[in-house]
Amino acid sequence: MRFEGKSALITGGGRGIGATTALMMLAEGGKVGVVDLNPDHLAKAAETARSRGYALKTFQADVSKTDQVRRTVDGFVEEFGRIDILVNNAGMTIPRPFMEKTAEDWVKTLEVNLISVFLCAQAAAKHMLARQSGKIVNISSIRGIEHCGREGVMEYSAAKAAVINLTKTMAKELAPHINVNTVAPGHTMTDLTAPLPDAVKKGMIEGAYLKRMAQPEDIAKAILFLASDDANFITGQMLLVDGGFSLKAG
Ligand code: NAD
């Protein structure tokens, strides 16, 4: 019960890794809110939580928009009285070959995967700094690691690499009372990866030394660790949860 007495807000928490993280924090006694762009994802996540006997608070917002982020974080604090944990998990890709990429693809992808991390962290840090306590966990990707950028989603890879760097800067600026860390998931079975062709998934499985894709729970366990008191002396770090996929470069 590591999250008893703690309140956590998870972005992109309507499905996938974010929704699984929310359920696992609820199961460990946390008070949890999720923010998501998609109302259907939110309704499903709330229903799943209810069916397991938990109350999940939902907020519908686009986390790349300053006013919507402020409204959400302030609404969350009004509801729960404080914000102890922020998980910046919302993300998306626009897969398209290099020669078809547009500046709009870049702007949208950077806004959702990178700038949202700054916006949500700034809005949450206002409350965390006042209480001199808080944990922020940013979600990057195996694609943000050196040598692992992926064809067709180069702007996503660039955004996720920037999240690792941004985490280190935020860790310095928000110290000593707020810990900021990154979890970089490897290939994970969610609705984001479900549409990929079987041959691509096969490559992801064979490329990982542990010979499988991650389940959302594999990633959520790392997020929970960095969001918990178990990680009180860890800040500015990146925890790569990729089944050894990145080892193949060596
Ligand atoms: P997912 O698509 O299943 O869930 C992402 C959620 O974010 C969705 O519910 C979506 O509606 C929401 N979202 C998207 N844009 C938003 C916005 N602007 N505002 C608010 N909500 C928004 O994805 P997932 O696989 O669970 O991935 C979660 C995170 O993990 C993402 O940051 C992703 O880049 C990262 N990641 C995933 C994988 C993987 O293999 N699945 C690998 C590495 C990193």
Side-chain angles (χ1 to χ4, degrees):
M1 298 299 274
R2 288 176 291 179
F3 299 100
E4 226 159 38
K6 308 261 190 209
S7 62
L9 178 63
I10 301 168
T11 75
R15 71 177 193 187
I17 292 167
T20 300
T21 302
L23 283 173
M24 288 169 65
M25 279 190 183
L26 285 165
E28 288 206 47
K31 292 178 183 143
V32 183
V34 290
V35 50
D36 204 290
L37 189 59
N38 187 312
D40 295 337
H41 296 179
L42 287 173
K44 210 167 156 197
E47 181 46 40
T48 305
R50 216 176 1 256
S51 71
R52 297 185 190 186
Y54 306 121
L56 179 65
K57 179 80 186 165
T58 60
F59 300 86
Q60 202 257 320
D62 180 341
V63 292
S64 66
K65 303 283 181 258
T66 307
D67 52 339
Q68 296 186 40
V69 166
R70 287 193 185 141
R71 195 191 62 214
T72 301
V73 172
D74 290 347
F76 178 90
V77 171
E78 217 175 283
E79 173 80 19
F80 293 114
R82 56 201 260 186
I83 178 165
D84 298 295
I85 296 159
L86 169 70
V87 181
N88 278 311
N89 163 79
M92 44 71 76
T93 59
I94 308 175
R96 241 197 282 272
F98 180 80
M99 292 308 288
E100 292 171 24
K101 280 283 172 200
T102 64
E104 288 73 24
D105 293 344
W106 271 88
V107 170
K108 175 82 184 156
T109 303
L110 291 176
E111 279 180 349
V112 176
N113 290 283
L114 176 61
I115 297 174
S116 75
V117 174
F118 158 70
L119 290 176
C120 294
Q122 191 187 50
K126 184 180 86 177
H127 300 281
M128 291 173 172
L129 287 169
R131 295 189 57 254
Q132 300 204 333
S133 165
K135 294 241 167 39
I136 298 175
V137 182
N138 300 323
I139 307 308
S140 176
S141 169
I142 176 78
R143 298 309 178 183
I145 309 298
E146 209 180 349
H147 308 309
C148 290
R150 184 168 173 78
E151 305 91 323
V153 291
M154 82 277 294
E155 74 283 31
Y156 171 82
S157 304
K160 292 299 193 181
V163 166
I164 297 167
N165 193 289
L166 171 63
T167 296
K168 292 180 190 293
T169 319
M170 286 194 332
K172 292 179 187 174
E173 284 211 44
L174 296 176
H177 299 299
I178 302 176
N179 307 51
V180 190
N181 291 291
T182 308
V183 169
H187 305 116
T188 308
M189 302 281 282
T190 66
D191 291 300
L192 191 72
T193 48
L196 291 172
D198 283 346
V200 173
K201 285 188 205 150
K202 197 163 167 251
M204 290 172 168
I205 291 166
E206 282 170 3
Y209 278 85
L210 299 185
K211 295 298 169 208
R212 64 176 176 90
M213 289 176 72
Q215 292 297 325
E217 288 77 6
D218 292 311
I219 310 303
K221 281 177 190 165
I223 298 171
L224 262 66
F225 166 62
L226 288 172
S228 77
D229 287 347
D230 293 339
N232 278 352
F233 202 53
I234 302 175
T235 198
Q237 302 308 303
M238 190 261 298
L239 181 50
L240 182 55
V241 189
D242 72 343
F245 186 91
S246 56
L247 294 173
K248 76 177 181 222

